[in-house]
Amino acid sequence: MTGTVRRAPGPGLGSSASGDGLVRRRRRQWVRRSALAVAVLVVAAAGGGWAVYAKLSANITPDEAAAAELARYERERPTALVRGAQNILLIGSDTRAGQGNQEYGRDLGSERSDTTILLHLAADRRSATAVSLPRDLMVDIPSCRQPDGKRSEPVFAMFNHAFQTGGSACTIRTVEKLTNIRVDHHMVVDFSGFKEMVDAVDGVQVCLKEPIDDKAAKLKLRAGRVTLDGEQALGYVRARKSLGDGSDTDRMERQQRFLGALVDKVQSNDVLLNPVKLYPVLDAATSSLTTDPELASLRGLYQLVRGLRDIPTEHVQFLTVPRESYVYDANRDQLVEPEAEKLFARLRADQPVAVAQDIAQETPGGAPEADPNGGPSPAPTFRGSTAAEHTCG
């Protein structure tokens, strides 16, 4: 075709402010800049994510000494009977070491298990049962490795003497000797970690039938629904003589109700599914946490708890091992048999138990009545509560 003049693209043809070429070129530049920005964000997020993971994992102290001690006695330890079921020993330490803990008393150079709970997770992860073990329970404590490297003599003493003598390993061996239940994992939490975790979920609501004015526990609370911060929560679960009937049993039941309220708070606020809410909880929980080496990382903890978020709160149960006053000292406890062994046997076999608040204390875990239709007998009922229950309306 003659008369047609081809010109190189210039400002007047296709690259003016209103030309299609400029639009396409700017679009390509925008895509390149956006891709670069996205890449930077992805890298930053990945780096930040790894930094957060590393920090939280580093918060956890692996209990290497306990692992070595337990390995030494592996042959005498119970065998796990049900694959997939897990038993975790939760130990609340009354150590005064660490920032913020000194105000709760003088550090006498040793620590004791202020609270001990055996948590059984069913193999199908449809239920969890937390059994409180009284610190005043009279038990057989085996020979244990002491902090100075020497070995103690076997002794019949209060349960919390085990932790004072040989730490978590001695406590685990004492529990296994008492229950014949294999302890798969353990966690030790001190005062500071407990307070920070409660604060991380913006407090936990409890229901008080009467007002509390307790100088020793640093508590002054009105009756009714009250949201406790970390400091108040610690005083609430640790107070003994000035709250309730002054017994350790009453204190353990109060601890169980509080833990149930904490579980309910975490689940109701979707903390487990919200990274923004979950991080401060994890940071607080891990900062004062000592565990067996297998759990001493976020990966280890995740593998343990990943199925727990789907357990309904009514299937998270709390109870105290059947106990009564020790025959030789009313200020000490002893197991009620055969009810205690009945409970331990069902946990060993991963069989269900039931709890109720109004069961007669003198007949805990009574034998269930047989099904008249020949079906399986219902689970025995023990005095306790669930995470779904509230102490006031």
Side-chain angles (χ1 to χ4, degrees), residues 62 65 68-69 76 155 169 173 197 221 233 236 243 255 264 303 308 346 349 357 362:
E69 178 74 353
E76 71 177 36
V155 64
R173 292 179 57 221
M197 188 168 180
L221 305 169
Y236 178 73
L243 295 184
Q255 291 171 349
D264 187 58
Q303 289 178 339
L308 302 185
R346 295 192 73 87
Q357 291 185 349
E362 59 272 15

mmCIF file of all heavy atoms in Angstrom, residues 62 65 68-69 76 155 169 173 197 221 233 236 243 255 264 303 308 346 349 357 362:
data_model
loop_
_atom_site.group_PDB
_atom_site.id
_atom_site.type_symbol
_atom_site.label_atom_id
_atom_site.label_comp_id
_atom_site.label_asym_id
_atom_site.label_seq_id
_atom_site.Cartn_x
_atom_site.Cartn_y
_atom_site.Cartn_z
ATOM 1 N N PRO A 62 13.158 -27.156 78.507
ATOM 2 C CA PRO A 62 13.076 -28.622 78.470
ATOM 3 C C PRO A 62 13.610 -29.226 79.764
ATOM 4 O O PRO A 62 14.677 -28.853 80.246
ATOM 5 C CB PRO A 62 13.955 -28.996 77.268
ATOM 6 C CG PRO A 62 14.926 -27.862 77.142
ATOM 7 C CD PRO A 62 14.201 -26.637 77.606
ATOM 8 N N ALA A 65 16.777 -33.060 82.939
ATOM 9 C CA ALA A 65 17.144 -33.827 84.130
ATOM 10 C C ALA A 65 16.069 -34.849 84.468
ATOM 11 O O ALA A 65 16.374 -35.996 84.822
ATOM 12 C CB ALA A 65 17.363 -32.876 85.306
ATOM 13 N N ALA A 68 16.188 -37.812 82.027
ATOM 14 C CA ALA A 68 17.281 -38.739 82.328
ATOM 15 C C ALA A 68 16.936 -39.617 83.523
ATOM 16 O O ALA A 68 17.209 -40.825 83.531
ATOM 17 C CB ALA A 68 18.565 -37.952 82.581
ATOM 18 N N GLU A 69 16.328 -39.021 84.540
ATOM 19 C CA GLU A 69 15.970 -39.773 85.745
ATOM 20 C C GLU A 69 14.890 -40.805 85.444
ATOM 21 O O GLU A 69 14.948 -41.953 85.911
ATOM 22 C CB GLU A 69 15.503 -38.813 86.839
ATOM 23 C CG GLU A 69 15.064 -39.469 88.135
ATOM 24 C CD GLU A 69 16.231 -40.003 88.974
ATOM 25 O OE1 GLU A 69 17.386 -39.978 88.490
ATOM 26 O OE2 GLU A 69 15.979 -40.465 90.100
ATOM 27 N N GLU A 76 10.674 -50.081 85.587
ATOM 28 C CA GLU A 76 9.680 -50.190 86.659
ATOM 29 C C GLU A 76 8.455 -49.321 86.419
ATOM 30 O O GLU A 76 7.485 -49.385 87.188
ATOM 31 C CB GLU A 76 10.307 -49.819 88.011
ATOM 32 C CG GLU A 76 10.611 -48.343 88.181
ATOM 33 C CD GLU A 76 11.166 -48.006 89.561
ATOM 34 O OE1 GLU A 76 11.927 -48.822 90.117
ATOM 35 O OE2 GLU A 76 10.834 -46.926 90.072
ATOM 36 N N VAL A 155 10.298 -42.964 101.428
ATOM 37 C CA VAL A 155 9.638 -42.435 102.608
ATOM 38 C C VAL A 155 8.128 -42.403 102.394
ATOM 39 O O VAL A 155 7.649 -42.247 101.262
ATOM 40 C CB VAL A 155 10.167 -41.013 102.945
ATOM 41 C CG1 VAL A 155 9.819 -40.042 101.830
ATOM 42 C CG2 VAL A 155 9.624 -40.514 104.276
ATOM 43 N N ALA A 169 10.576 -35.353 88.227
ATOM 44 C CA ALA A 169 10.787 -36.791 88.033
ATOM 45 C C ALA A 169 10.317 -37.574 89.251
ATOM 46 O O ALA A 169 9.665 -38.625 89.118
ATOM 47 C CB ALA A 169 12.258 -37.075 87.756
ATOM 48 N N ARG A 173 7.203 -40.314 89.300
ATOM 49 C CA ARG A 173 7.367 -41.685 89.770
ATOM 50 C C ARG A 173 6.440 -41.975 90.946
ATOM 51 O O ARG A 173 5.912 -43.092 91.076
ATOM 52 C CB ARG A 173 8.823 -41.928 90.153
ATOM 53 C CG ARG A 173 9.773 -41.914 88.949
ATOM 54 C CD ARG A 173 11.214 -42.134 89.358
ATOM 55 N NE ARG A 173 11.372 -43.379 90.076
ATOM 56 C CZ ARG A 173 12.141 -43.545 91.158
ATOM 57 N NH1 ARG A 173 12.815 -42.508 91.654
ATOM 58 N NH2 ARG A 173 12.234 -44.718 91.748
ATOM 59 N N MET A 197 -0.929 -15.634 81.987
ATOM 60 C CA MET A 197 -1.871 -16.290 81.096
ATOM 61 C C MET A 197 -3.284 -15.772 81.317
ATOM 62 O O MET A 197 -4.035 -15.546 80.379
ATOM 63 C CB MET A 197 -1.822 -17.800 81.292
ATOM 64 C CG MET A 197 -2.629 -18.563 80.257
ATOM 65 S SD MET A 197 -2.299 -20.316 80.298
ATOM 66 C CE MET A 197 -3.379 -20.864 78.977
ATOM 67 N N LEU A 221 -13.271 -8.722 96.975
ATOM 68 C CA LEU A 221 -14.159 -8.897 95.837
ATOM 69 C C LEU A 221 -15.608 -8.902 96.297
ATOM 70 O O LEU A 221 -15.927 -9.380 97.383
ATOM 71 C CB LEU A 221 -13.846 -10.217 95.108
ATOM 72 C CG LEU A 221 -12.397 -10.418 94.646
ATOM 73 C CD1 LEU A 221 -12.191 -11.851 94.192
ATOM 74 C CD2 LEU A 221 -12.063 -9.443 93.520
ATOM 75 N N ALA A 233 -6.624 -13.737 90.400
ATOM 76 C CA ALA A 233 -6.858 -15.155 90.132
ATOM 77 C C ALA A 233 -5.902 -16.026 90.932
ATOM 78 O O ALA A 233 -6.295 -17.070 91.471
ATOM 79 C CB ALA A 233 -6.711 -15.441 88.640
ATOM 80 N N TYR A 236 -7.028 -16.152 94.430
ATOM 81 C CA TYR A 236 -8.285 -16.901 94.511
ATOM 82 C C TYR A 236 -8.042 -18.410 94.523
ATOM 83 O O TYR A 236 -8.646 -19.140 95.311
ATOM 84 C CB TYR A 236 -9.174 -16.518 93.333
ATOM 85 C CG TYR A 236 -10.488 -17.249 93.255
ATOM 86 C CD1 TYR A 236 -11.523 -16.965 94.144
ATOM 87 C CD2 TYR A 236 -10.699 -18.226 92.279
ATOM 88 C CE1 TYR A 236 -12.734 -17.635 94.068
ATOM 89 C CE2 TYR A 236 -11.903 -18.902 92.202
ATOM 90 C CZ TYR A 236 -12.915 -18.601 93.098
ATOM 91 O OH TYR A 236 -14.113 -19.273 93.019
ATOM 92 N N LEU A 243 -10.858 -18.953 102.855
ATOM 93 C CA LEU A 243 -11.977 -19.070 101.923
ATOM 94 C C LEU A 243 -12.639 -20.426 102.069
ATOM 95 O O LEU A 243 -11.975 -21.434 102.300
ATOM 96 C CB LEU A 243 -11.495 -18.899 100.473
ATOM 97 C CG LEU A 243 -10.941 -17.532 100.090
ATOM 98 C CD1 LEU A 243 -10.609 -17.497 98.606
ATOM 99 C CD2 LEU A 243 -11.927 -16.422 100.427
ATOM 100 N N GLN A 255 -10.100 -24.385 92.498
ATOM 101 C CA GLN A 255 -9.162 -24.404 91.384
ATOM 102 C C GLN A 255 -9.793 -25.038 90.154
ATOM 103 O O GLN A 255 -9.624 -24.544 89.033
ATOM 104 C CB GLN A 255 -7.906 -25.183 91.780
ATOM 105 C CG GLN A 255 -7.052 -24.496 92.828
ATOM 106 C CD GLN A 255 -5.940 -25.383 93.344
ATOM 107 O OE1 GLN A 255 -5.909 -26.584 93.068
ATOM 108 N NE2 GLN A 255 -5.015 -24.806 94.099
ATOM 109 N N ASP A 264 -13.473 -22.285 79.285
ATOM 110 C CA ASP A 264 -14.658 -21.708 78.640
ATOM 111 C C ASP A 264 -14.332 -20.359 78.009
ATOM 112 O O ASP A 264 -14.788 -20.049 76.903
ATOM 113 C CB ASP A 264 -15.772 -21.556 79.677
ATOM 114 C CG ASP A 264 -17.090 -21.133 79.058
ATOM 115 O OD1 ASP A 264 -17.576 -21.849 78.174
ATOM 116 O OD2 ASP A 264 -17.631 -20.078 79.447
ATOM 117 N N GLN A 303 1.110 -30.716 68.532
ATOM 118 C CA GLN A 303 0.742 -32.102 68.288
ATOM 119 C C GLN A 303 -0.083 -32.662 69.431
ATOM 120 O O GLN A 303 -0.944 -33.527 69.224
ATOM 121 C CB GLN A 303 2.006 -32.935 68.075
ATOM 122 C CG GLN A 303 2.706 -32.654 66.753
ATOM 123 C CD GLN A 303 3.986 -33.448 66.581
ATOM 124 O OE1 GLN A 303 4.564 -33.917 67.569
ATOM 125 N NE2 GLN A 303 4.431 -33.603 65.345
ATOM 126 N N LEU A 308 -7.767 -30.907 70.863
ATOM 127 C CA LEU A 308 -8.502 -30.537 72.063
ATOM 128 C C LEU A 308 -9.523 -29.435 71.842
ATOM 129 O O LEU A 308 -10.482 -29.313 72.598
ATOM 130 C CB LEU A 308 -7.522 -30.106 73.165
ATOM 131 C CG LEU A 308 -6.477 -31.149 73.570
ATOM 132 C CD1 LEU A 308 -5.668 -30.642 74.741
ATOM 133 C CD2 LEU A 308 -7.140 -32.473 73.901
ATOM 134 N N ARG A 346 -10.149 -47.145 85.400
ATOM 135 C CA ARG A 346 -10.878 -46.658 84.227
ATOM 136 C C ARG A 346 -10.018 -45.704 83.402
ATOM 137 O O ARG A 346 -10.087 -45.706 82.176
ATOM 138 C CB ARG A 346 -12.192 -46.002 84.666
ATOM 139 C CG ARG A 346 -13.165 -46.975 85.310
ATOM 140 C CD ARG A 346 -14.548 -46.375 85.476
ATOM 141 N NE ARG A 346 -15.252 -46.274 84.207
ATOM 142 C CZ ARG A 346 -15.987 -47.241 83.669
ATOM 143 N NH1 ARG A 346 -16.093 -48.413 84.281
ATOM 144 N NH2 ARG A 346 -16.619 -47.062 82.523
ATOM 145 N N ALA A 349 -7.578 -47.762 81.372
ATOM 146 C CA ALA A 349 -8.219 -48.445 80.250
ATOM 147 C C ALA A 349 -8.914 -47.474 79.292
ATOM 148 O O ALA A 349 -9.572 -47.911 78.341
ATOM 149 C CB ALA A 349 -9.225 -49.465 80.778
ATOM 150 N N GLN A 357 -21.873 -32.632 90.909
ATOM 151 C CA GLN A 357 -21.565 -31.814 92.078
ATOM 152 C C GLN A 357 -22.306 -32.270 93.324
ATOM 153 O O GLN A 357 -21.844 -32.045 94.446
ATOM 154 C CB GLN A 357 -21.902 -30.353 91.788
ATOM 155 C CG GLN A 357 -20.994 -29.702 90.762
ATOM 156 C CD GLN A 357 -21.292 -28.217 90.609
ATOM 157 O OE1 GLN A 357 -22.296 -27.714 91.102
ATOM 158 N NE2 GLN A 357 -20.412 -27.516 89.916
ATOM 159 N N GLU A 362 -19.359 -39.137 100.917
ATOM 160 C CA GLU A 362 -18.903 -40.362 101.559
ATOM 161 C C GLU A 362 -19.001 -41.578 100.654
ATOM 162 O O GLU A 362 -18.551 -42.658 101.001
ATOM 163 C CB GLU A 362 -19.716 -40.623 102.841
ATOM 164 C CG GLU A 362 -21.210 -40.771 102.626
ATOM 165 C CD GLU A 362 -21.924 -39.425 102.689
ATOM 166 O OE1 GLU A 362 -21.232 -38.392 102.607
ATOM 167 O OE2 GLU A 362 -23.151 -39.393 102.817
#
